Amino acid sequence: MTVAIEVRGATKTFRQSTGVFGTDRMIRAVDGVSFAVEAGSCLGIVGESGCGKSTLARLILGLLPVSSGEILVEGQSLADMDRKSRARLIQPVFQDPFSSLNPRRRIRDIVAMPLQAQGIATRERASRVEEMLVRVGLPGAIADRLPAQLSGGQRQRVAIARALVLRPRIVVCDEPTSALDVSVQAQILNLLDELRRDLGLTYVFISHNLAVVEHISDRVAVMYLGRMVEQAGTDDLFAAPTHPYTKALLASVLTPEPGLGIPDVGLGDSYPDPANVPPGCRFHPRCPIAEARCAVETPQPRDLNGHQIECLLA
Amino acid sequence: MLDRPALLDVEGLRVRFSPKVEAIRGVSLRVERGQTHCVVGESGCGKSVSALAVMGLLARGAKRSAGHMRFDGQDILNLSERELQKLRGDRMAMIFQEPMTSLNPAYTVGSQMAEVLVRHRRVGKQQGLDRAAELLAKVGITAPGMRLAQYPHQLSGGLRQRVMIAMALMCDPELLIADEPTTALDVTVQAQILRLLRDLQQELGLAILLITHDLGVVARIAHKVSVMYAGEVVESASATDLFASPRHPYTRGLLACVPVPGTIKRGEPLGSIPGTVPRIADGFVGCGFRDRCAYAMPACAIGVPQRDDGAGHRHLCHLQ
């Protein structure tokens, strides 16, 4: 297997100010995360808000430097790359196509921006933009419009065209369909899937929607308070979730089946606070099967039936 | 069949914001006591506007009309603003999607909760605070005394939504209108909030009008469902009926779009509905969905019949 992305012990800490007289708190948004993504595959990352999944996306994109650890993209360290070569290799698609597109620029110019930044000649820019807009299923007439004149789905197609116009090898999608209606979400997911197969792209796909992740990913990683608590192949993970947190997450998905009622997730009322990571296993205060030692011992990553998990009990 | 009128009975509701565009084109809804009626649809279909119209909370300049609109048998279409204010927050209450923007950031949880009771029931502040503490405990908030003294920004999203729900319950309403109450929350918290709403309904006999775009939520909590598209209710039925035998092509399309865990076949495209919602200007006739519908026929451009199977399953389509 060729590895497209390799993350080794990546950690990102932020300083949070607590006011003039308080001492600043350190928040480890991503705390020693390691994984690899096979070239041409899609890794889905799921977790609740505040688990560090978007910070991780920014680290992989090189938009934030790691505090410690290393990220290798196609064997090269991300830290050694300049912005231009990084942009040719990795591109992002963000959640909100309403705020990620400059409202004062025409669609044509928005999609051409990455080409312009690479110093590509005007004439080639025009033809590549046109080609890309067709590729993502937008009518040519849209090139002269402003983002405000487009629907949410069309805007997300523009964001995808902009991400792909440099022909990158890797695309990091951070909640790309969360702001869209279900019928449009399905259109965008189908488009992303088709583009990956046709262009041989590698995806990192971040979402809080488990069904969406199951649909598009080959492998899934579950994040909790900055750690990856379970990683496995998609079919394995959904068929036999192993970590108690993964089980709770899957149990909380409401499928459109009447009569099943509303599940009791069993996570209790406490909510994870990244500024206040519990000792031992960080999931223990919410864990339905926690024992006394879970509050003391920190679980190390281990392999269990092909799942990589961090749990003392599973 | 009905001895007692429905708690909320809306017939032929129309709302227009500009002279040329009608946002709501004849919506009828009935919410029975102690039941949950879900209104489901995509953005712009008019589901939130319908709820605001019922509450009399439309923006100034909006024009509202209806065949009738009754709450507990009483006409609420022609109430004065003062009479409406008496009703709102008292016998009918509303919660919104983003609790952060509907709570006042400058007041503590306790003082804004107490105010509801002080205004509607003319009680003292302390009595209001006592009631607030009691309700915070009821919605599953531990240490309610401490929470009363906190400001909204000190609470997590799930806690804020619980506070909103507790605040809506201050005057023991008969009807709770919830507009996307769990959309901004994590799935784990969503399940907790929905369980809470269901438990409160069973305990207090609350009727809930729940507005959502999430068919998963609908399936798990609704007794009755109305599917809205382009300002109309295109299908309404009991939840069991709707999911077992959806009749309108839009409802079927919507159901096909939702990836269901466990049944997913990777590599196969999801069902999707081509095109986008049309802009419905005045003089529009026929079916609003016909441009996106696989079964459209010439008759769809002329008119649409309302079909009724006699057992409460209605849909707006030429197809049976």
Side-chain angles (χ1 to χ4, degrees), chain B residues 89 163 178 208 264 283:
Chain B
V163 167
I208 300 176
I264 286 168

Side-chain angles (χ1 to χ4, degrees), chain B residues 146-162:
Chain B
M146 175 190 84
R147 299 297 180 194
L148 285 178
Q150 285 186 321
Y151 289 89
H153 75 267
Q154 294 171 294
L155 311 174
S156 70
L159 272 180
R160 275 184 222 136
Q161 197 56 284
R162 281 173 200 264

